[in-house]
Amino acid sequence: MQKIKENKELKEKNKKKGLKAFLKGSKAQIRGVDFSLALLIFVIAFSQVIIVLSNLLIPSLVQMETYSQEQELNKLYSNIFSSKGNPANWGTIATESLTDFRLGLMGVNGLDFTKINRLTSDLSSYWTINYLNVKVAYGMIRDFAVSIYSPISISINDYTAAFGEINLYGEVNEYQTLIEGAEIWAFAIDNNNNVVSNYTTTKDISGSISFRATLIAPETDYYTIVIFAQVGGIYQDYIVKRLVRESSGLEYYFVDFDFRPFVKENTNSPGSAVDVTVERSVLSDEAHAIVVFPFSDLGVDHHKQNLTQETTAEGEIYLGTGISITTNGLAVVVVNERAESTYSAGYIGVPMFQNSIHGGIFAHSSFQDQQTYISKTKMFTIRNVLLKCQIWYW
């Protein structure tokens, strides 16, 4: 009996011991589950905090970066379009002689067309301004582009040319809107430097707002076509084309020009006369400059001058000084050069626009592929014509 009683007590004792062990293990499991749940809740809460902070901070950082870029853009715009640069008369100084150079397009009486023309991409090395030199001079890390263009645009949609009669068909737009009543001046300059002109306006022609300009010119193989458009007396644009006839046929075709002359304001007659220089071909015999403009200046709509052969620091050049232009409005300078029986031509505008048609945008070569940038545009009056001056920055 005693032994049975002892076995019973031992079983009770083991039972209680097992229960305590079970309870102890259960409590440990519960604490582990609690910890896991707490950790999960913490991770979820922390991730939500991160998401909220990201939504708050990232736009703020982007805004801060954009603001910083806008400040840099405004400073650059002011440096280029509101200052004369350094030296102040850099527009007439040869590129290789420019020291401590800073780009600035302002002149004595507003924006200086001589300086604007220096930004043209295909000038001779004596006058051209290098983009990287401008960037380094301003200590810039980012890239930029400069453009000067008219709010209106003139285009030639079609033409016919035969036996000395040239018909030009085109339109004038403000962005995508056709403009009715725009004044049109058309010029044709042949290889003998004869100039003929025609005045017309845009109007409804066969259901479309357009113009037709007819020019009766001496029959030659070469013509330089210049067309000006004016709207409201303050907006002007121009387009320049070259027509060449094949030697074996009667058809004329638009072809590229051969060179780009350089035009600067004449120091003795600022605003009313220009000087022209152009690199001289080795075999050339003579060269002539013809300035055309969309206003009649005392009954005259163009001036022309024989250019002289000169040997200067610029090299072998043709030079013309004090060639008259109108004091207001746009103008185009055409240079015809003859080398024995070969004829070549070039042109530059006053001022030369920095766009794809007239000289190219002043920028790094990668600008055409740039998709993301900020920009600033402002209207400026140049020779009493309103033009848009724009800077892109990225």
Side-chain angles (χ1 to χ4, degrees):
M1 286 293 292
Q2 183 67 28
K3 190 173 182 180
I4 294 172
K5 185 178 179 180
E6 290 177 355
N7 289 336
K8 187 176 180 181
E9 290 176 351
L10 181 62
K11 286 181 180 179
E12 288 293 332
K13 187 177 181 179
N14 290 337
K15 185 176 180 182
K16 290 179 179 180
K17 187 177 180 181
L19 180 61
K20 289 181 179 180
F22 173 76
L23 292 174
K24 185 177 181 180
S26 298
K27 288 180 180 179
Q29 290 178 355
I30 291 171
R31 285 197 294 270
V33 171
D34 289 343
F35 176 78
S36 298
L37 288 174
L39 180 62
L40 178 61
I41 293 171
F42 173 78
V43 170
I44 293 173
F46 185 74
S47 64
Q48 293 300 313
V49 171
I50 294 296
I51 292 172
V52 171
L53 290 177
S54 298
N55 290 333
L56 292 175
L57 290 176
I58 291 177
S60 298
L61 292 174
V62 171
Q63 290 175 358
M64 290 176 61
E65 183 178 3
T66 301
Y67 176 77
S68 176
Q69 290 183 32
E70 289 176 348
Q71 293 298 103
E72 294 171 1
L73 172 63
N74 291 335
K75 182 179 179 181
L76 178 63
Y77 197 98
S78 178
N79 286 335
I80 292 179
F81 286 112
S82 300
S83 77
K84 294 181 180 179
N86 188 69
N89 64 334
W90 67 265
T92 57
I93 300 174
T95 301
E96 62 180 15
S97 299
L98 288 173
T99 57
D100 192 24
F101 171 64
R102 299 290 190 280
L103 178 65
L105 300 180
M106 190 63 67
V108 176
N109 299 307
L111 292 180
D112 187 334
F113 77 77
T114 301
K115 294 178 179 179
I116 294 173
N117 283 358
R118 292 288 295 272
L119 303 183
T120 305
S121 59
D122 48 358
L123 288 177
S124 68
S125 58
Y126 187 84
W127 295 111
T128 190
I129 297 299
N130 184 275
Y131 166 84
L132 291 178
N133 290 344
V134 174
K135 182 177 175 180
V136 170
Y138 277 122
M140 296 176 59
I141 298 176
R142 297 179 180 274
D143 285 304
F144 71 98
V146 175
S147 176
I148 300 174
Y149 57 98
S150 174
I152 66 171
S153 62
I154 184 170
S155 59
I156 299 175
N157 300 331
D158 197 8
Y159 69 93
T160 61
F163 307 109
E165 180 176 313
I166 304 169
N167 292 290
L168 304 165
Y169 305 87
E171 59 190 30
V172 179
N173 290 269
E174 184 176 12
Y175 298 103
Q176 302 300 319
T177 303
L178 293 172
I179 301 175
E180 186 173 6
E183 295 182 277
I184 303 295
W185 291 265
F187 296 85
I189 305 167
D190 66 20
N191 58 327
N192 294 312
N193 308 307
N194 298 305
V195 181
V196 296
S197 61
N198 174 271
Y199 171 83
T200 186
T201 60
T202 56
K203 48 184 172 290
D204 189 332
I205 301 177
S206 302
S208 177
I209 304 300
S210 57
F211 68 84
R212 173 185 173 181
T214 299
L215 298 164
I216 306 299
E219 185 177 359
T220 65
D221 293 333
Y222 311 96
Y223 298 102
T224 295
I225 304 297
V226 183
I227 305 179
F228 295 95
Q230 177 177 271
V231 176
I234 57 174
Y235 299 116
Q236 289 185 15
D237 187 33
Y238 68 85
I239 189 169
V240 186
K241 293 287 188 178
R242 186 182 179 202
L243 276 174
V244 174
R245 180 171 59 186
E246 289 186 345
S247 58
S248 59
L250 298 176
E251 295 292 327
Y252 287 84
Y253 301 92
F254 284 138
V255 299
D256 293 333
F257 285 88
D258 302 292
F259 53 82
R260 183 83 70 189
F262 178 64
V263 172
K264 61 181 180 179
E265 197 169 32
N266 182 267
T267 55
N268 295 323
S269 303
S272 61
V274 295
D275 299 337
V276 178
T277 66
V278 60
E279 288 183 305
R280 176 174 169 260
S281 300
V282 177
L283 299 177
S284 62
D285 306 313
E286 59 186 54
H288 305 266
I290 303 96
V291 184
V292 295
F293 34 84
F295 295 114
S296 176
D297 186 11
L298 299 177
V300 177
D301 57 11
H302 69 277
H303 294 286
K304 53 186 173 182
Q305 183 180 117
N306 297 338
L307 303 183
T308 60
Q309 298 181 16
E310 304 282 344
T311 301
T312 67
E314 189 176 348
E316 296 293 328
I317 65 169
Y318 280 110
L319 174 65
T321 59
I323 306 175
S324 296
I325 61 172
T326 55
T327 55
N328 296 321
L330 306 181
V332 170
V333 180
V334 176
V335 174
N336 290 334
E337 182 181 11
R338 188 185 301 277
E340 297 179 343
S341 60
T342 303
Y343 166 82
S344 58
Y347 83 93
I348 193 168
V350 178
M352 171 59 67
F353 292 165
Q354 303 304 306
N355 56 37
S356 58
I357 298 175
H358 300 292
I361 294 174
F362 184 72
H364 190 274
S365 58
S366 65
F367 175 68
Q368 301 298 333
D369 302 322
Q370 188 62 32
Q371 300 295 321
T372 304
Y373 53 79
I374 59 175
S375 67
K376 182 175 181 178
T377 304
K378 187 176 179 180
M379 299 291 288
F380 278 89
T381 299
I382 307 176
R383 295 174 56 81
N384 286 342
V385 175
L386 278 176
L387 298 173
K388 284 189 173 182
C389 299
Q390 184 170 6
I391 287 184
W392 291 267
Y393 190 68
W394 66 94

